[in-house]
Amino acid sequence: MKKVCFIIVWMNLCFTFLYSNDLDTDSLKNRNHHNLQEVEVVSTRATAKTPVAYSNMNKEQLNEFNFGQDIPLLLTLTPSVIATSDAGTGIGYTGFRIRGTDANRINITSNGIPMNEAESHGVFWVNIPDFASSLQDLQIQRGVGTSTNGAGAFGASVNMKTENISMQPFGEFNGSYGSFNTAKATFKLGTGKISEHWAFDGRLSSIISDGFIDRASVDLKSYFAQGAYFNDNTLIKFITFGGKEKTYHAWDGVPDYILFPADGSKPDRTYNPSGYMGDDKKGNPLYYDNQTDNYNQTHYQLSLLQMLNPSLNLNVALHYTRGLGYYEEYKTERDLIQYGLKPVVLEDTTLTQSDLVRQKHLDNHFGGMIFSLDYKKDKWEVTLGGGGNYYDGKHFGYVTWIKNYINDEDFYPEHEFYRSTGKKFDMNIYLKGNYQLTDPLSLFVDVQYRHIDYKIKGKNDKWDWQIQEMQNLNIHENFNFFNPKAGLFYQLNPSNTLYGSFAVAQREPNRNNYTEATKDEFPKPERLMDYELGYKYNDRNFAAGVNLYFMQYKDQLVLNGKVNEIGEPLTSNVPDSYRMGIELIFGAKITPWLRWDGNVTLSRNKIKEYTEYVTVYAEDGSVEEEQQADYYGTTDIAYSPDIIANSLFSFQYKSWNAGLQSSYIGKQHLDNTGKDDRTIAAYFVNNLRLGYDFKLKGLKQLSLNLLINNLFNEKYETNGWVWSCYNRNEDGSLSPYVEKSYFPQAGTNVMANIVVKF
């Protein structure tokens, strides 16, 4: 029955794709000026009187440093954000953390529609390159925030709104070129208003780069297109966007013995072990040319906004996302039995191991509906909203080549060695509102119910030595979460405000939590209780704010420092943990042409009574049933620095503009043991942007810009991983074994940019 329902929904999506948006109804009525003005997606966003910690970034702020880097790098000026980049340039595979919360717990939406991948809960920005060029603005909510749609709403949210439809015809070219042969070309066109009721615009983008890390090249293509019909009370809008990426693997990182050689030799900061095939006869390393990730992702959204009366708006939305792709890699000395293959029979020997090339594929569909009914009158602002989504994803893999394999009757090209499916239904409904108790005091209440039905079936891509076949997957989980939120907002006077809130969030485990768990480990859902208290001051020339937070977790899935074969970070439940801190924010207009903005986060992030369970390998290399339990007491949570500080000096004088961005990130632990030899060192990085705007007849804008990243050539790493085990000795004792790798970032590098608008 569910399959039939999914097919019906899918067929409907092919005809009507909807996404949630809001419109300034006064502008809809303003026919004399023919001005269609869209406003924020209020159903999932915090407003001025919402008692949560949030930051807004408008289009101008996003464009200032948008020279081709992914959205995570553009968010680093907001409080408590850390960005990472596998290739070291901010292009390709990138990610970010907020208050130490990893990316698959950060809820991402575009126009209120879920962007998180249903199984992994992550957003892979490499699949939608240059999406920042099609954004009107975005909002980051730190902590639980307000109710939203989709998975991963646990600890932080990023709500993106795509560009407004332009009422005037326009064209734009935005091109960049710089270090590592990085080049970006973006073309945008818009028709303006047609026949009083229609408008269309679109974007095409291409980004290529060799990357800072060896062979970490990227070839990214993307598009964005939208069309709208509008009248006095109705807006119907269709959006489609997507990307095609080909990225050479850089997700293994640089081993510590190469990055920090013990013999004092020169470190190799660009070394990339991915694709290693062995050495040639002269001892030179050989690398596989097609060690690449290849993926296409296409999004469709179509929305209806209906103004029912001056106080009531209805938003209805359907959406559909298609994902299809694979990654290919060369693997050395692999046990053939792990791929369902017989030994290689040669003339004088039989080989049970061989080099091979394999592909791992994803083929998925994600679609659904969201809605909101927004009421605003007198002392009330109320939203009833929610949605339902269905995901159907296939995971399968092929062996495409085997070195020295001559048993043709047992091996065929594209030999399939695993296949599984993931199916997930996710629905939620929420009711939230603000009520003005008195002139200065307002009450915020938000309640949400979520239901998740998740199934995984088939064979995993890992060999189970006990049953001598690929790991069996047969998981069926149901979750029901009730997430209440409440808070107070107090306007002391026009310049001073206070707020406080309490919120509960609960989150289901993702696919990796199940498939990467040990046989004695079963992942549990997480629960977060978030306490926030803040103060803001704002006048014409100075703004400041302070936010105190305490985030108390039950069964938090914390990063344990380990990664799987494609570099995805792995997590484990810990019974009792917390994050607490203070976020300081300020902005000052020093002179008419100089402004200073900054923020500082000071925090403590702890696991109480932490015990690490480590795999033990017997003398013959097999895995022992019992793991070694190492107790550490109270420790720091991995990847959660005690201090994050950002500064931006902005200069604007006549046609000149400039910005100096500085970020300091404190020491981070690679795992939860708290050991000093498993850390990422603190770093301080500065980026300088320079620009000049020409005034030429016939052009709306002609700008030349220069971005100097890592101005002072800081040698730093933003991410890393550690893997440890114990080896059993002949006398029965245990010897520890540790592997560590890091992700170095590029030294001083330059990007030049030209913007032409007409």
Side-chain angles (χ1 to χ4, degrees):
M1 184 64 186
K2 288 185 178 179
K3 290 183 178 179
V4 174
C5 293
F6 174 64
I7 293 171
I8 293 173
V9 170
W10 191 9
M11 292 176 64
N12 286 332
L13 289 171
C14 295
F15 295 96
T16 54
F17 300 93
L18 302 176
Y19 84 95
S20 179
N21 211 338
D22 277 289
L23 194 64
D24 186 333
T25 54
D26 291 334
S27 296
L28 275 172
K29 295 177 179 179
N30 190 2
R31 307 301 292 167
N32 294 328
H33 294 87
H34 304 287
N35 182 27
L36 180 66
Q37 176 62 50
E38 295 172 272
V39 298
E40 296 175 343
V41 185
V42 297
S43 61
T44 55
R45 283 199 171 182
T47 61
K49 293 186 177 182
T50 307
V52 300
Y54 68 92
S55 300
N56 292 325
M57 292 188 70
N58 60 33
K59 189 176 186 63
E60 290 72 25
Q61 292 170 316
L62 290 167
N63 287 341
E64 281 183 353
F65 286 88
N66 181 17
F67 285 57
Q69 292 180 316
D70 291 337
I71 287 176
L73 278 294
L74 303 181
L75 302 182
T76 53
L77 279 177
T78 61
S80 305
V81 175
I82 300 173
T84 67
S85 170
D86 286 4
T89 58
I91 300 173
Y93 270 90
T94 60
F96 64 100
R97 295 186 286 271
I98 299 178
R99 290 185 181 175
T101 298
D102 58 287
N104 65 26
R105 278 176 193 65
I106 298 173
N107 175 265
I108 313 291
T109 58
S110 64
N111 306 313
I113 288 173
M115 294 285 287
N116 297 78
E117 203 270 339
E119 287 198 281
S120 72
H121 297 186
V123 172
F124 298 93
W125 301 100
V126 71
N127 296 333
I128 49 171
D130 201 27
F131 192 53
S133 292
S134 293
L135 292 182
Q136 186 68 29
D137 54 45
L138 60 80
Q139 182 180 91
I140 303 171
Q141 296 179 18
R142 301 181 298 278
V144 171
T146 63
S147 289
T148 187
N149 298 299
F154 193 81
S157 298
V158 178
N159 184 303
M160 302 180 293
K161 177 179 178 292
T162 55
E163 280 187 309
N164 295 338
I165 283 277
S166 174
M167 293 296 98
Q168 300 297 324
F170 73 92
E172 178 182 338
F173 170 73
N174 189 316
S176 303
Y177 183 79
S179 302
F180 317 114
N181 289 318
T182 301
K184 170 197 171 187
T186 299
F187 299 89
K188 301 171 73 172
L189 289 172
T191 65
K193 185 167 55 176
I194 302 174
S195 300
E196 298 298 320
H197 295 291
W198 298 88
F200 303 88
D201 60 51
R203 168 185 60 82
L204 291 174
S205 297
S206 173
I207 301 174
I208 58 173
S209 178
D210 293 340
F212 167 67
I213 301 297
D214 295 340
R215 305 181 310 285
S217 61
V218 298
D219 185 355
L220 312 176
K221 304 289 190 296
S222 67
Y223 77 95
F224 176 91
Q226 61 180 343
Y229 169 82
F230 44 89
N231 60 32
D232 287 353
N233 299 308
T234 303
L235 171 68
I236 299 174
K237 189 173 180 183
F238 173 81
I239 289 178
T240 177
F241 60 90
K244 180 180 181 181
E245 61 94 1
K246 188 180 184 69
T247 307
Y248 197 95
H249 298 178
W251 51 46
D252 290 330
V254 180
D256 63 330
Y257 59 86
I258 291 177
L259 190 61
F260 309 112
D263 60 3
S265 59
K266 184 178 179 180
D268 186 352
R269 297 186 59 80
T270 67
Y271 174 76
N272 185 2
S274 295
Y276 177 68
M277 300 168 59
D279 296 341
D280 63 15
K281 294 180 180 179
K282 296 182 179 180
N284 299 314
L286 300 172
Y287 295 96
Y288 186 55
D289 289 338
N290 202 35
Q291 188 92 356
T292 57
D293 185 68
N294 308 268
Y295 201 77
N296 292 2
Q297 189 176 86
T298 309
H299 299 253
Y300 302 94
Q301 304 175 355
L302 175 68
S303 70
L304 168 67
L305 166 62
Q306 183 67 44
M307 188 179 73
L308 302 175
N309 61 51
S311 300
L312 189 64
N313 291 334
L314 172 66
N315 298 265
V316 182
L318 295 174
H319 63 89
Y320 172 64
T321 302
R322 178 75 169 104
L324 184 67
Y326 68 93
Y327 66 89
E328 181 169 313
E329 55 187 347
Y330 190 99
K331 308 299 289 187
T332 59
E333 298 182 354
R334 288 286 154 150
D335 291 316
L336 295 176
I337 190 175
Q338 296 187 45
Y339 296 87
L341 295 165
K342 294 182 179 180
V344 177
V345 180
L346 302 177
E347 292 182 359
D348 55 352
T349 187
T350 298
L351 300 180
T352 59
Q353 293 183 331
S354 182
D355 294 1
L356 53 83
V357 174
R358 71 184 188 188
Q359 294 179 351
K360 292 188 175 183
H361 288 250
L362 289 174
D363 181 352
N364 49 58
H365 307 269
F366 178 61
M369 180 192 77
I370 65 171
F371 77 94
S372 68
L373 190 64
D374 303 310
Y375 174 81
K376 183 177 181 180
K377 188 174 182 181
D378 299 329
K379 297 182 178 182
W380 289 96
E381 292 183 20
V382 181
T383 296
L384 173 66
N389 308 295
Y390 186 76
Y391 170 89
D392 187 347
K394 299 179 179 65
H395 305 252
F396 53 97
Y398 300 124
V399 176
T400 61
W401 175 85
I402 304 175
K403 186 178 181 179
N404 297 324
Y405 209 84
I406 59 175
N407 288 5
D408 293 336
E409 69 276 11
D410 297 318
F411 172 71
Y412 303 92
E414 295 193 349
H415 164 78
E416 185 174 285
F417 66 100
Y418 75 94
R419 178 176 287 267
S420 66
T421 59
K423 298 177 187 279
K424 186 174 185 179
F425 174 71
D426 176 7
M427 64 82 64
N428 81 100
I429 188 167
Y430 59 84
L431 178 65
K432 58 185 172 184
N434 272 298
Y435 179 71
Q436 200 71 35
L437 296 170
T438 65
D439 285 342
L441 182 64
S442 62
L443 170 68
F444 172 77
V445 177
D446 182 343
V447 290
Q448 181 196 49
Y449 167 74
R450 280 189 73 213
H451 170 75
I452 302 101
D453 185 291
Y454 183 37
K455 296 178 182 178
I456 309 176
K457 278 188 170 295
K459 297 289 187 180
N460 197 20
D461 60 351
K462 294 178 175 55
W463 182 257
D464 190 326
W465 287 100
Q466 292 186 340
I467 62 175
Q468 292 293 296
E469 61 182 61
M470 304 306 289
Q471 178 188 5
N472 285 313
L473 297 174
N474 187 15
I475 297 164
H476 186 186
E477 291 287 337
N478 281 280
F479 301 95
N480 293 281
F481 298 135
F482 177 68
N483 300 318
K485 310 167 185 69
L488 291 170
F489 180 90
Y490 190 77
Q491 187 82 44
L492 294 168
N493 54 50
S495 298
N496 294 273
T497 58
L498 286 169
Y499 65 85
S501 65
F502 168 75
V504 175
Q506 298 174 86
R507 173 186 174 273
E508 73 278 16
N510 65 23
R511 180 185 175 91
N512 282 346
N513 296 141
Y514 290 108
T515 61
E516 303 287 349
T518 62
K519 66 175 185 176
D520 297 324
E521 181 182 15
F522 193 81
K524 304 174 185 177
E526 307 169 83
R527 186 183 70 194
L528 164 63
M529 293 184 290
D530 181 25
Y531 305 82
E532 306 273 341
L533 180 63
Y535 163 77
K536 293 180 182 178
Y537 174 83
N538 192 11
D539 66 20
R540 293 182 58 186
N541 296 313
F542 181 74
V546 56
N547 187 76
L548 303 171
Y549 66 88
F550 180 71
M551 303 168 69
Q552 185 175 17
Y553 298 87
K554 177 177 173 56
D555 296 322
Q556 182 182 184
L557 283 158
V558 298
L559 295 169
N560 56 28
K562 300 180 181 180
V563 294
N564 63 16
E565 290 191 327
I566 62 170
E568 292 180 312
L570 303 180
T571 56
S572 299
N573 287 111
V574 292
D576 191 1
S577 57
Y578 67 87
R579 302 179 188 274
M580 62 183 297
I582 179 171
E583 295 166 329
L584 305 171
I585 306 167
F586 64 89
K589 188 176 181 181
I590 301 173
T591 69
W593 45 266
L594 182 62
R595 179 178 178 85
W596 184 27
D597 295 278
N599 56 77
V600 178
T601 300
L602 304 172
S603 65
R604 289 173 57 86
N605 310 274
K606 299 291 184 179
I607 301 172
K608 297 181 179 179
E609 307 299 323
Y610 178 64
T611 299
E612 182 185 44
Y613 295 90
V614 186
T615 300
V616 178
Y617 287 89
E619 291 181 63
D620 62 0
S622 62
V623 177
E624 295 185 2
E625 290 192 17
E626 294 295 327
Q627 292 184 308
Q628 173 68 20
D630 293 333
Y631 174 73
Y632 291 96
T634 298
T635 63
D636 292 316
I637 301 176
Y639 305 99
S640 302
D642 292 341
I643 180 170
I644 301 172
N646 298 291
S647 167
L648 175 63
F649 285 97
S650 302
F651 169 90
Q652 182 76 50
Y653 183 73
K654 294 184 178 180
S655 295
W656 291 95
N657 60 84
L660 176 62
Q661 173 190 352
S662 305
S663 296
Y664 177 82
I665 310 297
K667 181 178 73 173
Q668 304 174 64
H669 291 275
L670 286 175
D671 63 10
N672 303 304
T673 64
K675 294 181 178 179
D676 288 335
D677 62 344
R678 302 182 184 184
T679 59
I680 302 170
Y683 56 90
F684 180 57
V685 181
N686 296 267
N687 303 320
L688 177 64
R689 177 187 54 81
L690 303 171
Y692 186 83
D693 296 327
F694 295 87
K695 296 181 180 179
L696 297 178
K697 187 176 181 180
L699 291 179
K700 294 179 182 178
Q701 180 183 343
L702 174 59
S703 302
L704 296 179
N705 305 284
L706 183 69
L707 178 63
I708 306 174
N709 291 306
N710 197 357
L711 184 63
F712 302 114
N713 201 31
E714 174 87 349
K715 301 292 191 297
Y716 71 107
E717 299 79 41
T718 59
N719 204 1
W721 57 265
V722 61
W723 184 83
S724 62
C725 68
Y726 284 101
N727 293 317
R728 182 74 65 185
N729 300 318
E730 292 184 4
D731 61 0
S733 61
L734 296 176
S735 296
Y737 175 80
V738 178
E739 290 183 4
K740 291 180 288 186
S741 279
Y742 296 85
F743 292 86
Q745 303 301 289
T748 302
N749 62 97
V750 178
M751 289 289 290
N753 169 259
I754 182 171
V755 179
V756 182
K757 295 182 179 181
F758 52 89

